[in-house]
């Protein structure tokens, strides 16, 4: 049975570091154990949102530069909460990206992601595109970050700016 607790999304605070480290260890069944100090350091490198039901259920790390938002970290646990928690995180990041007048949101997906995961991203408006089929500024932003073993999906928010602002 799916959890029906309301999802609340908020910005991460420094005092969340210990809870985030525990959440990541639990969500990955111990495959990813991030020391408290590394969590604190990572929190200083980009913006993060926490999704809360009765406990932490999702974490998203993202940044926006040069009119391109990049979702670089996304963890939802348990997976059964993906529809509610994932949607709430994506909605929040999209609202923030639109405030910053971003043209696109790039999402980096592991090559081993399940079909259900990719289908969920598609239902959230993300499309998988070949690098040669996207505007050069977006491709450059993807190339700067795309980790080994990942591909990117994108959600266009507005038209590409072709003239200086």
């Amino acid at each position: 049975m799916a959890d029906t607790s309301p999802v609340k999304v908020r910005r991460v605070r420094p005092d969340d570091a210990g809870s985030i480290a525990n959440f990541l260890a639990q969500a990955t069944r111990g495959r990813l154990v991030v020391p408290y100090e590394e969590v604190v350091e990572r929190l200083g490198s980009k913006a993060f949102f926490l999704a809360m039901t009765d406990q932490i259920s999702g974490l998203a790390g993202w940044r926006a530069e040069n009119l391109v938002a990049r979702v670089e970290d996304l963890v939802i646990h348990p997976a059964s909460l993906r529809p509610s928690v994932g949607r709430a995180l994506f909605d929040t990041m999209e609202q923030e990206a639109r405030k910053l007048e971003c043209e696109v949101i790039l999402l980096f997906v592991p090559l081993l992601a399940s079909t259900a995961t990719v289908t969920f991203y598609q239902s959230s408006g993300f499309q998988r595109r070949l690098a040669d089929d996207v505007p050069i500024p977006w491709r450059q932003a993807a190339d700067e970050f795309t980790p080994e073993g990942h591909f990117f999906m994108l959600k266009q928010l507005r038209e590409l700016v072709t003239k200086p602002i």
Side-chain angles (χ1 to χ4, degrees):
M1 177 191 283
D3 187 334
T4 57
S5 300
V7 179
K8 293 185 172 101
V9 176
R10 66 170 174 79
R11 291 184 186 278
V12 168
R13 299 183 301 252
D15 64 347
D16 291 322
S19 298
I20 289 170
N22 291 335
F23 168 71
L24 293 173
Q26 180 183 17
T28 63
R29 295 182 191 93
R31 291 187 312 270
L32 180 61
V33 177
V34 184
Y36 174 85
E37 296 78 19
E38 286 184 36
V39 173
V40 171
E41 183 178 321
R42 187 99 181 219
L43 295 179
S45 70
K46 67 184 89 168
F48 280 89
F49 289 107
L50 272 182
M52 308 286 295
T53 50
D54 55 342
Q55 59 189 2
I56 296 175
S57 303
L59 175 70
W62 73 291
R63 68 179 81 220
E65 297 171 335
N66 300 322
L67 306 178
V68 176
R70 300 187 314 218
V71 180
E72 299 174 358
D73 299 290
L74 182 65
V75 180
I76 299 166
H77 181 74
S80 62
L81 294 178
R82 186 181 297 134
S84 59
V85 170
R87 181 86 56 210
L89 285 167
F90 282 141
D91 288 349
T92 301
M93 285 184 286
E94 183 174 336
Q95 288 170 8
E96 292 298 315
R98 285 184 186 280
K99 286 179 190 174
L100 295 170
E101 298 186 8
C102 290
E103 300 165 340
V104 67
I105 300 174
L106 300 177
L107 174 65
F108 300 93
V109 183
L111 291 172
L112 300 175
S114 70
T115 301
T117 298
V118 174
T119 300
F120 170 71
Y121 296 152
Q122 289 169 330
S123 75
S124 299
F126 288 88
Q127 303 172 339
R128 187 168 182 181
R129 303 259 297 272
L130 297 175
D132 291 341
D133 293 337
V134 300
I136 291 172
W138 302 354
R139 185 177 336 138
Q140 289 171 336
D143 288 346
E144 287 175 12
F145 180 78
T146 306
E148 183 96 19
H150 286 66
F151 62 91
F152 72 90
M153 297 179 77
L154 63 83
K155 181 174 185 176
Q156 187 169 346
L157 303 178
R158 67 185 184 98
E159 291 302 312
L160 179 72
V161 174
T162 57
K163 296 179 184 175
I165 297 176

